[in-house]
Amino acid sequence: MQQLKWGLLGTGWIAEQFANALADLPGAQRWSVLSRNQTSAETFAQTHQFAHAHSDIETFLADPELDVVVIGSPHPRHAEQTIACLNAGKHVLCEKPMGINSQQVEAMIDAAKANQRFLMEAMWMWFHPSTLKAKALIEEGAIGTPHLFHADFSVHFPFDPTHRMYDPALGGGALLDIGIYPLALALYLFGAPSSVYGQAQIGKTGVDEQESIILQYADGRHANCVASVRAAGPCEATITGSNGYIRFQRNFWHSQQLLVASNGQTETLDLPFIGNGYVTEVAHVAECIQAGLIESPIVTWEASRSLINTMDQLRQSWGIQYPDER
């Protein structure tokens, strides 16, 4: 099978995670890195053993040997950079959220179709053993009929108007950065809701600093999603059914343990992932590309549409617009 040559667009924390995952993926060639600063690009490339370092996107994309690009820049840049990569004939794994609104996501999908190149939103949580096991247990009826979902992603970030969490120009706010995780897990386990309702607290810079969201389903199920950059919460997720519940232990988005309570019996399942948790995701991307696919059968384009449409509805109800949308 073809050994893919990977490039990273960005040299921040998320790029480091993908660089480490690629080091753990047999056959993945760490090929090139793009940063706005040449020194940063060269330092990152040397540290993580990438062959080439660039500070110019045209030069980065002109390389005929580069196969797939991981977009790890701030989310307002995702759409423009992803479309540029696709138009240059590169496959793309784009960090979440894929775009800041549904119009951007549709444009990205259109570019993937037009260029017949693979495009996937990076949803590492959907590839973790704990997530897969929880879904299987629900489908097997281990907790009876599922009725409720609750997930909390609350991490305190000291207020700084220039920080990405608080800066509207960087797509700041809890929803797109951390609120996306409980929403994505609810959509993965329960599917798309019939209605969405949420309340948010808007901070000094005009972004959402915390929110409570309810997803309602036609069959009566509810999903409650909480996110905050003001508070420090347990960061757990629970699915409750007629016969028991499944709980993702702390930091549910990369938990390696499930607590399963069913019919009066309780069991803790240890479900470790490979490496830093990103390996299975990048391996899936490689398999899809090698199979000639342009869309993942797991993180489908429709799943990305459902997620961004839900967040669009919420932001519209809260009166939040980012500078690029005005």
Side-chain angles (χ1 to χ4, degrees):
M1 299 180 74
Q2 176 192 7
Q3 288 192 345
L4 297 174
K5 294 178 179 177
W6 294 73
L8 295 180
L9 199 161
T11 54
W13 183 86
I14 192 65
E16 290 185 358
Q17 307 314 304
F18 280 109
N20 291 333
L22 291 170
D24 289 335
L25 180 65
Q29 295 189 50
R30 287 163 280 170
W31 189 250
S32 61
V33 175
L34 175 67
S35 175
R36 288 175 294 177
N37 179 282
Q38 184 65 30
T39 300
S40 295
E42 291 174 358
T43 299
F44 188 98
Q46 182 177 11
T47 300
H48 296 282
Q49 299 179 14
F50 280 75
H52 306 282
H54 301 280
S55 56
D56 176 70
I57 191 169
E58 292 182 1
T59 305
F60 174 74
L61 293 178
D63 183 351
E65 295 195 68
L66 176 62
D67 296 308
V68 53
V69 177
V70 179
I71 306 288
S73 56
H75 22 273
R77 301 177 194 150
H78 288 179
E80 180 182 1
Q81 293 172 340
T82 292
I83 291 170
C85 291
L86 294 167
N87 287 343
K90 313 306 179 187
H91 305 285
V92 175
L93 173 63
C94 182
E95 179 56 18
K96 71 189 81 61
M98 200 152 78
I100 62 170
N101 56 41
S102 58
Q103 290 79 12
Q104 288 189 356
V105 169
E106 287 301 328
M108 296 161 81
I109 293 170
D110 287 345
K113 291 178 181 177
N115 292 286
Q116 286 296 289
R117 288 297 180 267
F118 181 83
L119 170 65
M120 190 184 93
E121 185 169 20
M123 195 61 66
W124 68 319
M125 177 175 59
W126 288 13
F127 295 91
H128 291 164
S130 59
T131 309
L132 298 172
K133 184 63 174 179
K135 189 174 183 68
L137 288 170
I138 292 169
E139 292 174 349
E140 291 166 8
I143 57 171
T145 303
H147 291 291
L148 296 171
F149 169 94
H150 178 82
D152 156 62
F153 197 145
S154 299
V155 178
H156 176 67
F157 288 86
F159 180 74
D160 176 355
T162 66
H163 191 279
R164 64 183 177 85
M165 285 293 191
Y166 295 100
D167 187 351
L170 296 177
L175 181 64
L176 293 192
D177 204 289
I178 59 177
I180 191 172
Y181 279 95
L183 284 174
L185 186 57
L187 294 176
Y188 181 78
L189 297 176
F190 275 16
S194 56
S195 63
V196 179
Y197 172 78
Q199 290 280 6
Q201 288 185 297
I202 311 302
K204 297 176 183 177
T205 59
V207 302
D208 55 296
E209 294 186 359
Q210 68 181 24
E211 54 252 355
S212 298
I213 301 163
I214 297 177
L215 309 181
Q216 294 181 311
Y217 293 81
D219 60 4
R221 288 174 299 158
H222 280 191
N224 303 317
C225 302
V226 176
S228 177
V229 297
R230 291 178 169 178
C235 295
E236 295 179 340
T238 304
I239 307 94
T240 306
S242 55
N243 296 336
Y245 61 88
I246 299 169
R247 177 175 295 153
F248 289 77
Q249 306 290 48
R250 182 168 180 80
N251 295 343
F252 68 86
W253 57 95
H254 62 134
S255 177
Q256 299 186 68
Q257 279 192 332
L258 289 179
L259 179 67
V260 182
S262 179
N263 296 310
Q265 302 294 318
T266 302
E267 180 183 12
T268 298
L269 304 179
D270 291 317
L271 298 159
F273 46 62
I274 300 170
N276 64 359
Y278 290 81
V279 180
T280 309
E281 177 183 53
V282 293
H284 172 75
V285 172
E287 291 167 2
C288 288
I289 293 170
Q290 289 162 342
L293 302 179
I294 65 170
E295 178 182 5
S296 164
I298 296 175
V299 188
T300 63
W301 293 338
E302 190 54 40
S304 293
R305 286 188 179 108
S306 180
L307 184 57
I308 196 65
N309 287 340
T310 299
M311 294 192 294
D312 277 359
Q313 290 180 56
L314 291 165
R315 282 202 300 121
Q316 183 178 13
S317 71
W318 301 335
I320 296 175
Q321 277 191 317
Y322 294 115
D324 289 347
E325 298 177 301
R326 296 169 188 158

